[in-house]
Structures are given as C-alpha cells and as structure tokens.
C-alpha cells in the first residue's frame, strides 16, 4: 500500500492582515500491517491431541478446569528445584509461537528443556516407554524456541511422567521439527475459520477431556449412529448454588472468600463464594461493587428481578468467542431452519402439555370432564405436524394452550375457593394461581438467559418468538420446553397439597385486580422451583439421566448443533 499525506492549508488572513494560525503540515503514515498473533505451545499440544479441543480453547476461548487440570497444576507447583532455569518464558516471531517451559537444565555444556506430566508414559509394542504424540510435539516446540533464544542448537528435550516416574528423551530430528511447523500452519488455518473441526475418531480421548461437556462428542456420534449407546460425559448435576435474596433492604457484600447477606433485622448469613453459581436479587436488595467485580471475574451470574417476579436484567460473563455468535446469526437468517426449529419446539411443548394432562386424569372422573379439551389438543398436534408457516404454529399453539389451561382449572377443582383457576391472566396476575405461575415463569426465564449466555449464544436472536418487548426472544423460545415440568407441575401439585396460605403467602390489592407473592410466599416459591430443578429426568433419545438444572444447558448446546452441522437432537424431550 502506498504511503500518503495531507497538507492543512494556511488559515485566511484576519482583519489586521495577519494569518490567524501558522501553516501546519500533517503527514499521514500507513499503519503497520497487523502481525499474525503468536500461538501458545500448549495450544499445539491441544491440536495434536484433538483439533476440536484446540478450536474450543484457542479460537472460541472456552477453557474448563476440571479435577484433572487442577491435579496437573498442583504437580507443577511441586516440581523439585534441581534445574538451573525454571519456568522460562520464550517466544518467537519467526516460529509464530510462545510458551513457558517448565524448566531448562544444562548438561555437558548443552541446554535441555524439561516438561512435567502427571500421567503415565506411552508404552510401545516393544515394551519401551515413549512420549505421547501431543507431549512430543510440545517439547519439540519448546526446544526450537530455546535454541533460537540462546543462539545454539538444542539436540533433545525430556518429559518426566510422574505417575510411573519415567523420563522420556525426545531427540530433535528433522521430521519432528517439520511437524512443529506444520502444526503451527494448521493452527493458523483453524483460527481463521468459524467452522468447528469434526469430533475426533479416537473415542477414548473424549473420556479424559475437560471440554467434553461443551463439545458433546457422544451426542454427535449418536446422530450418525442412532443405535449407539451413549456414554454420558455431560455432568449429571449442577453443583453450583443458585442464591436468591428476597429480604427487602438486605445488602449483599464480599468478605474474604465469602458472600455476606446483611439484613436490617436478624442475623447475617455467609456463603462460600466457591459454592455459588448465580445470585438473584429480588426487589429492593443492594449489592456492593466489590462483590460485582468478584462475580464478573469468577463467572458468577448476577440477576435482578422485581418483587413481583419480573426479570429486570443481569450481569453475565459470556463464554466463547465471536465464532459461536457468527454461526448463530448465519443459521437463524435461514427462514427454513427457523421454521423447522419452531415446529419442533411447539410440538415438544404441546405434546408435553397433553401428556401431563393425560397422566393426571388417568382412571379418574376428570378424564370425562375434560375430554373435549384433550381432543382439541390432539387435533392441534396433528395440525402442527402439517403446518407450513410460523403464523399457523402461533395459532395452533394458542388454541392448544387455551385448552390446556382449562384442563389445569379442572385439576384444581378440589382446591380452596381462593385457589380456583379461571384461566391464564398475566399482566397483572388476578388470582393466586396466576401469581405463582408468573413468578415461576420469571425464574425459568432467568435460568434460560443464564444457560444461553453460558453456552455463548446471543439471547436476542431467536427463531420463534418475535422481538416485540424487552424480553430476549431466544430465552422465550427455550422456556417453552420447560414450562410444564419446571413450573406448571410443581405449582399444581403444591396447591393440591394445600401448601399455600392466602393470608401469609400473597398480597391482594383492595380492588382485587392484582395479586402477587409476599416475602414469605416468594421464599416458598423459590424453594419449590429450585427443588424441582434438582429432580432427575432421563432423556428419551440420548438415554442418560440428568437434573433439570443441567438439562437447560444441554438443550442450548443441542440447539447450537442445529446450525453447526450436527442437527437432530434439539427439542426431543417429552414428559413420560
């Protein structure tokens, strides 16, 4: 590119015949072309292990530290101090890589890089210990960096395997050097694309990978092999605590490694930060800046909701790089894909509603009373299968939903008069049942937003709901899969068990046009919802069990695969 410049001409003379400013000459120089970012040596190790792993970690910037990762870190902290140089940082523009070698020793006048691994060495067919290919590539890259740094050839590198106390010597042959350069070039090509590499063919590698819950390799293999028995690599439970603060006037702050909930009345509460996955502030609750900083750093989601249960907003840390969202935007500009996903979604919702009604009315007089509504829902399911447009889906879903809520009203016929249900009313809720449903739907919406952001997608871009309000369309889409199991079932069950007291758990306006939960009612509703999230459920297609809390995230990851080249598993969950 040619260099350029411009000249600012002298300003015109003023009334006294003098120029108001001196002439100024400005020279514009082109910027230096951006250099190719250096690649971590550990990234080359991941690349040799699995190209999908490299892409997730280095391109989408998703890193998960599981117990095996922490064990490796503890090993490096315990490295004996017998080396001349430890933890040496090296980088090279010519090689295009950088990294920190564990230690460098000098023997017989030669410098030798060392790497420490917590696992075992590879045993060859002849019974001799050798290095694993990814480890060999890593130590070779460090050796090439070291020899450029000291200006002298490095003839070998060594890898110590702690599990079997073996040291493997890696000779720096020309073929190995070429592998390093080829790996760097391959890494650059992968970094320039938004398409994820295919899952590795070596299935054993996936069982030891910390990113298996993100990659979902077993689920992708199930798409190609429908009769396959899936090994569950996705965590069954979500161990992190969802912390809710509902006490008006409370302040949430940080003290050391704990979260402190200060109340105007009563004793303060403390919770270890490491146990918390999200904090939800209901109504007039304060949170300190120091705690917000900690939450942002640790990836703890912070949500704000009104006292009535309306979602206000959140502080979240998005996972992954821009590649995920680019794939999402590209996929959801395809109208045929959007309709396909919407159809799957509405079918899943209405079929789950129907199954719940059939299950609850089995062998009872209620079945005869609601037979017309059941038949309407069955008819709508047939129409959904034959639908060709989004507008048709909206209509069929609306008719089915009206019939469904009429069935729910009949299921509450033995409840107290105050808890009779005449149909859905949302803005505002006009009876205790609607107040409960709206509050739990608000909690579900919060969890859907959190799951979407955790996966790294954009909640503002959906495929079924239209952006007509401040609510995120994709979160509203995801909610449809979980309204029945996470909200409707626990609400109807708790009312039939007489768990609610009108005077204690609800606040009713004088004109009886607005009903919402009291502080005690909100605490009871949150407990009901969070307990339900921990219930286990077996996926009818994938075949393994997991909690509803984990199922939310799994469905988002399966949705992402719909536009990432591995479709077929989204929205297949149904109530049994």
């Amino acid at each position: 590119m040619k260099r350029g410049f411009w000249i600012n001409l002298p300003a015109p003379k003023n009334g006294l015949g003098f120029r108001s400013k001196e002439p100024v000459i400005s020279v514009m120089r082109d910027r230096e072309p951006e250099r190719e970012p250096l690649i971590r040596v550990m990234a080359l190790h991941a690349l040799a292990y699995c190209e999908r792993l490299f892409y997730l970690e280095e391109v989408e910037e998703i890193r998960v530290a599981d117990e095996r990762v922490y064990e490796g870190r503890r090993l490096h902290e315990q490295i004996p101090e017998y080396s001349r140089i430890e933890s040496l940082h090296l980088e090279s523009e010519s090689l295009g890589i950088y990294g920190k070698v564990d230690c460098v020793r000098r023997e017989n006048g030669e410098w030798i890089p060392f790497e420490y691994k917590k696992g075992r060495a590879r045993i060859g067919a002849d019974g001799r210990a050798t290095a694993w290919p990814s480890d060999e590539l890593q130590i070779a890259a460090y050796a090439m960096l070291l020899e450029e740094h000291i200006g002298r050839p490095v003839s070998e590198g060594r890898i110590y395997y702690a599990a079997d106390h073996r040291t493997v010597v890696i000779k720096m042959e020309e073929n190995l050097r070429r592998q390093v350069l080829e790996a760097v070039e391959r890494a650059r090509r992968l970094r320039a694309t938004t398409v994820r590499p295919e899952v590795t063919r070596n299935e054993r590698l996936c069982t030891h990978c910390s990113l298996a819950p993100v990659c979902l390799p077993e689920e992708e293999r199930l798409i190609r092999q429908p009769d396959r028995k899936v090994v569950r690599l996705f965590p069954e439970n979500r161990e992190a605590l969802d912390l809710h603060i509902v006490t008006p006037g409370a302040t949430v702050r940080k003290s050391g490694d704990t979260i402190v909930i200060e109340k105007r009345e009563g004793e303060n509460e403390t919770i270890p930060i490491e146990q918390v996955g999200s904090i939800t502030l209901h109504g007039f609750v304060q949170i300190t800046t120091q705690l917000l900083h900690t939450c942002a750093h640790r990836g703890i989601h912070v949500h704000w909701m009104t006292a009535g249960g309306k979602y206000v907003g959140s502080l979240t840390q998005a996972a992954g790089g821009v590649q995920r969202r680019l794939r999402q935007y590209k996929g959801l500009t395809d109208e045929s894909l959007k309709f396909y996903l919407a159809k799957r979604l509405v079918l899943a919702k209405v079929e789950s509603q129907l199954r719940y009604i059939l299950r609850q009315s089995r062998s009872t007089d209620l079945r005869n009373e609601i037979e017309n509504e059941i038949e309407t829902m069955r008819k709508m399911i047939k129409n959904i299968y034959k639908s060709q447009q989004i507008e048709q889906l909206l209509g069929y879903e609306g008719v089915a939903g009206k019939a469904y809520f009429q069935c729910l009203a009949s299921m509450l016929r033995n409840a107290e008069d105050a808890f009779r249900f005449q149909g859905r009313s949302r803005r505002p809720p006009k009876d205790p049942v609607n107040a409960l449903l709206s509050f739990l739907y608000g909690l579900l919406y919060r969890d859907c937003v959190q799951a979407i952001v955790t996966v790294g997608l954009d909640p503002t871009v959906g495929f079924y709901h239209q952006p007509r309000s401040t609510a995120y369309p994709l979160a509203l889409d995801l909610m449809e899969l979980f309204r029945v199991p996470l909200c409707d079932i626990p609400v109807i069950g708790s009312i039939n068990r007489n768990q609610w007291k009108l005077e204690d758990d609800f606040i009713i306006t004088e004109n009886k046009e607005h009903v919402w939960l009291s502080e005690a009612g909100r605490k009871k509703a949150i407990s009901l919802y969070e307990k339900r999230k921990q219930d286990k459920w077996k996926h009818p297609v994938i075949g393994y069990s997991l909690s509803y809390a984990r199922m939310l995230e799994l469905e988002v990851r399966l949705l992402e695969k719909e536009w990432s080249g591995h479709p077929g598993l989204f929205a297949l969950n149904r109530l049994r």
Side-chain angles (χ1 to χ4, degrees), residues 78 104 136 200 205 221 233 250 268 274 368 391 393 412 452 508 557 575:
Q78 299 165 3
V104 178
E136 188 177 65
T200 179
L205 298 180
R221 295 182 182 114
L233 302 178
N268 296 341
E274 62 183 16
N368 293 330
E391 291 74 18
L393 289 178
L412 292 173
I452 291 167
I508 305 175
R557 297 196 182 280
L575 286 181

Side-chain angles (χ1 to χ4, degrees), residues 154 180 206 252 280 326 328 331 335 340 380 388:
V154 174
V180 172
C206 301
V252 193
T280 304
L326 288 176
Q328 178 187 358
E335 293 299 325
Y340 166 78
M380 291 305 104
Q388 300 294 324

Side-chain angles (χ1 to χ4, degrees), residues 50-260:
C50 169
E51 288 194 352
R52 173 72 72 88
L53 174 62
F54 165 84
Y55 193 88
L56 291 175
E57 286 189 338
E58 301 303 315
V59 182
E60 297 191 16
E61 299 176 339
I62 303 171
R63 297 184 178 93
V64 177
D66 62 3
E67 186 56 32
R68 290 184 291 268
V69 174
Y70 288 122
E71 286 178 6
R73 291 176 182 175
R74 286 192 289 268
L75 170 68
H76 283 75
E77 292 172 357
Q78 299 165 3
I79 293 174
E81 296 184 3
Y82 59 79
S83 59
R84 292 298 184 97
I85 303 175
E86 293 197 27
S87 201
L88 181 62
H89 181 89
L90 301 166
E91 63 178 53
S92 168
E93 290 287 344
S94 60
L95 293 173
I97 55 178
Y98 74 97
K100 186 168 67 173
V101 63
D102 285 342
C103 74
V104 178
R105 296 178 61 189
R106 190 170 186 176
E107 293 184 3
N108 301 322
E110 290 193 12
W111 290 101
I112 302 172
F114 273 73
E115 271 295 299
Y116 295 85
K117 301 294 180 182
K118 68 179 181 64
R120 298 179 180 276
R122 183 184 188 186
I123 305 301
D126 56 359
R128 296 176 57 188
T130 61
W132 296 96
S134 54
D135 298 339
E136 188 177 65
L137 186 71
Q138 180 184 1
I139 196 64
Y142 282 135
M144 293 170 69
L145 280 171
L146 179 61
E147 64 185 7
E148 183 175 306
H149 179 73
I150 63 177
R152 297 175 57 183
V154 174
S155 60
E156 67 179 50
R158 298 180 189 177
I159 304 173
Y160 174 74
Y161 289 96
D164 50 9
H165 306 289
R166 296 176 186 266
T167 299
V168 177
V169 178
I170 307 297
K171 295 295 184 182
M172 288 300 296
E173 299 174 352
E174 190 60 34
N175 181 55
L176 186 54
R177 294 174 182 273
R178 186 168 59 252
Q179 288 180 32
V180 172
L181 299 178
E182 290 173 351
V184 172
E185 184 58 33
R186 177 59 178 162
R188 286 173 173 167
R189 290 199 300 270
L190 288 175
R191 217 162 46 175
T193 180
T194 61
V195 180
R196 281 182 182 172
E198 290 295 318
V199 169
T200 179
R201 294 183 180 180
N202 187 347
E203 298 177 13
R204 291 178 297 176
L205 298 180
C206 301
T207 60
H208 301 291
C209 179
S210 63
L211 285 184
V214 175
C215 175
L216 298 183
E218 283 289 290
E219 289 75 5
E220 285 195 17
R221 295 182 182 114
L222 177 65
I223 295 170
R224 296 192 296 266
Q225 307 168 37
D227 297 331
R228 175 188 180 85
K229 183 177 181 180
V230 175
V231 177
R232 183 173 59 79
L233 302 178
F234 194 80
E236 183 177 16
N237 296 309
R238 184 171 174 266
E239 297 179 356
L241 173 69
D242 290 316
L243 181 63
H244 295 260
I245 299 94
V246 300
T247 304
T251 298
V252 193
R253 63 177 177 85
K254 175 180 179 290
S255 177
D257 290 330
T258 63
I259 293 174
V260 180

